[in-house]
Amino acid sequence: MADKKFYLTTPIFYPNAKLHLGHAYTTTLSDIIVRYHRLMGDKTYFLTGSDENTQKMVDAAVKEGKEPLEFLDGIVANFAGLFRELEISYDQFIRTTDQEKHWPGATALWQKLVDAGDIYEKEYEGLYCVGHEAFLTEKDLVDGKCPDHGTAPEFLKEKNYFFRLSKYANEIQKKIETDEYRVVPESRKHEILSFIKNEGLEDVSFSRPHKDHWPKGLGVPVPGDDSQVMYVWCDALANYITALGYGRDDELYKEFWPADVHVIGKDILRFHAAIWPGMLLSAGLPLPKTLLVHGFITSGGKKMSKTLGNVIDPEELISEYGSEAVRYFLARHISPFEDGDITREQFKEVYNANLANGLGNLVSRVLTLAEKNLESAVEIETTEFPMQLRNTLDDFEVNAAMDFIWQHIGFLDKHLTENQPYKEIKTNLELGRSMIIEEVKELTKIAHWLAPFLPETSKKIIEGIMANKKPENLFARKD
Ligand code: ME8
């Protein structure tokens, strides 16, 4: 398995505001999957980044009285800070304003679509939702407003270049039906297939007139027509290959493309399961293998969104509980396939029950016993990932994998209580010690299994075992 490559991407996020817990979910889920593959010996590449050539970013900058490009640097530094705190082990952070890394590949890809005869010019009228960065139709609106963003779309009439997506509808449908391009979970596969079957795939507007108020350096110019920049979704989707050097220095591209997994939220399914494979087919490039589509985190039953203003700030949770507690919550208490709700009360409750009283208490019990009664540290043995854990993780069921580990935490806790090595040791030193050694060995396994999910905790427990000492500050109870 060691020579396998594994390339995973997250969406590139819009830097018009700070990231919220939904974005933290996507990146944490992605990080867990990548860390698991890295542990299994795969050669991994993990890409994330920011989607910067957008109207909404310009609007947000203007609102704060800042120059857009200067505003971007501040927000992107924030993204990187959050990802560092959350221990996101990405290999590259791509920015779509990066003229050296991103633009050559986006331009080369555009050229391929032109060469295939799939780009044509057309006058266009339509309703544009800045929140979506997409054209909507009357059918999409509720009371004249975009139901996701609560705002009325702008009416635009302009010259655009169009991408002939309709030409690829059948081929895309077939690739998804046969799982050649696998959409997970099944419900999302059905969703996109019935969309293609019922509504078909229309050609997409793929450029916008360059705006006078946009600063230079924003928007990838359409090759051969300075008056137009690429439509933001066209250049954004290209990031998955431009970051690997497509169109400039394609060593990484050759090694890692096609992507093994694109992780996205359900809101951007159509872009990834229709437009993106259409672009790749037109360019004659291989399709990604799997699209993992997760649900939305809601807060008190409502979608968490920057526009709706009901976001939970991951930084706040991290400063109160620590980043490992946030990773724990996202991995275990949110399903990767369905929507999941979070409230601060529930967060505190599961933190106390499963981290402070559960894992934290178990580590403390076992290692206090070891520290007091063993003359030297128990030797660390290498641990296999049990088949059940591997199966769940291969199926992206990160929450089920966590349940498996917590089940074992429960077993070990019960074992300790029932066997009472702390009593045994008073009458039979040898037997008592060998019982404690067994408990430490079980704890070692749990610590290894935790590595992709809670890397810092895993390390602290292993260090504690190696030093024969209880680690300090592991999940203090919150009242
Ligand atoms: O769509 N729950 O960027 P974006 C869970 N730039 N995940 C959520 C979420 C929620 N409430 N809200 C957002 C874009 N997300 C484009 C992507 S890719 C070539 C371009 C996550 O900043 C989820 O992964 O709006 C969703 O798909 C993504 O953030 C959208 O991020």
Side-chain angles (χ1 to χ4, degrees), residues 50-226:
S50 52
D51 187 356
E52 308 188 352
N53 300 307
T54 71
Q55 179 65 45
K56 60 168 119 194
M57 189 280 296
V58 177
D59 294 347
V62 168
K63 210 163 146 195
E64 289 207 6
K66 290 193 177 147
E67 281 300 319
L69 292 173
E70 168 208 353
F71 172 81
L72 273 176
D73 288 342
I75 297 257
V76 169
N78 254 323
F79 281 21
L82 175 66
F83 290 171
R84 231 185 345 265
E85 281 188 78
L86 277 174
E87 305 162 79
I88 306 300
S89 59
Y90 60 84
D91 294 288
Q92 191 185 154
F93 188 104
I94 184 81
R95 298 181 57 176
T96 57
T97 46
D98 192 327
Q99 299 194 20
E100 222 172 279
K101 292 212 175 94
H102 179 64
W103 290 23
T107 310
L109 182 59
W110 179 282
Q111 199 54 52
K112 286 267 186 196
L113 308 190
V114 172
D115 295 346
D118 291 336
I119 295 286
Y120 62 92
E121 219 179 301
K122 191 173 122 178
E123 185 76 29
Y124 191 71
E125 302 188 348
L127 298 165
Y128 194 80
C129 171
V130 175
H132 273 107
E133 295 288 3
F135 282 102
L136 303 181
T137 62
E138 292 286 352
K139 267 196 312 212
D140 298 320
L141 308 181
V142 176
D143 295 333
K145 288 183 177 167
C146 162
D148 289 341
H149 296 97
T151 48
E154 293 172 29
F155 178 75
L156 295 181
K157 184 171 178 189
E158 52 187 38
K159 180 186 107 173
N160 288 168
Y161 288 101
F162 271 69
F163 170 55
R164 225 181 281 284
L165 179 62
S166 57
K167 180 171 150 190
Y168 297 98
N170 287 340
E171 215 173 330
I172 294 167
Q173 185 183 328
K174 232 178 265 148
K175 302 256 181 208
I176 295 176
E177 263 166 3
T178 57
D179 286 343
E180 200 178 320
Y181 182 23
R182 190 163 74 108
V183 178
V184 177
E186 205 58 21
S187 56
R188 298 289 167 209
K189 175 178 167 179
H190 290 312
E191 179 183 330
I192 190 69
L193 284 175
S194 59
F195 176 77
I196 298 174
K197 279 180 211 153
N198 297 336
E199 319 224 352
L201 294 179
E202 287 176 14
D203 293 352
V204 200
S205 158
F206 242 34
S207 76
R208 312 287 315 278
H210 188 272
K211 304 237 179 49
D212 293 339
H213 67 278
W214 274 33
K216 228 171 161 281
L218 201 69
V220 187
V222 166
D225 185 348
D226 281 351

Side-chain angles (χ1 to χ4, degrees), residues 11-14 20 22-23 25-26 51 56 233 236-237 239-240 264-268 272 294-298 303-306:
I12 49 172
F13 302 108
Y14 289 131
H20 60 66
H23 306 108
Y25 180 70
T26 312
D51 187 356
K56 60 168 119 194
W233 271 101
L237 288 162
N239 94 88
Y240 300 132
I264 60 163
K266 65 180 183 180
D267 54 334
I268 53 179
H272 285 80
H294 68 72
F296 264 144
I297 300 192
T298 55
K303 177 185 164 201
M304 207 185 292
S305 96
K306 289 175 241 185

Side-chain angles (χ1 to χ4, degrees), residues 320-325 351 355-356 359-361 363-364 456-457 460-461 469-478:
E320 199 173 342
Y321 293 92
S323 63
E324 298 263 305
Y351 172 89
L355 289 176
L359 178 63
N361 186 45
V363 172
S364 161
E456 195 53 37
T457 305
K460 271 193 196 162
I461 303 173
K469 209 170 167 359
K470 172 177 99 108
E472 295 300 323
N473 305 326
L474 207 60
F475 306 120
R477 224 193 118 77
K478 305 274 175 204

Side-chain angles (χ1 to χ4, degrees), residues 279-319:
M279 290 166 74
L280 292 167
L281 287 169
S282 167
L285 302 177
L287 298 196
K289 293 182 193 157
T290 300
L291 181 66
L292 172 60
V293 190
H294 68 72
F296 264 144
I297 300 192
T298 55
S299 177
K302 283 222 172 81
K303 177 185 164 201
M304 207 185 292
S305 96
K306 289 175 241 185
T307 327
L308 292 179
N310 63 339
V311 298
I312 291 194
D313 182 356
E315 304 266 6
E316 247 174 66
L317 283 181
I318 292 173
S319 67

Side-chain angles (χ1 to χ4, degrees), residues 238-296:
N239 94 88
Y240 300 132
I241 58 176
T242 65
L244 296 181
Y246 176 79
R248 54 182 165 94
D249 165 9
D250 58 3
E251 203 177 308
L252 279 175
Y253 174 80
K254 283 192 187 132
E255 186 171 2
F256 287 104
W257 190 257
D260 293 273
V261 186
H262 287 316
V263 179
I264 60 163
K266 65 180 183 180
D267 54 334
I268 53 179
L269 172 65
R270 286 185 204 170
F271 295 97
H272 285 80
I275 300 182
W276 181 226
M279 290 166 74
L280 292 167
L281 287 169
S282 167
L285 302 177
L287 298 196
K289 293 182 193 157
T290 300
L291 181 66
L292 172 60
V293 190
H294 68 72
F296 264 144

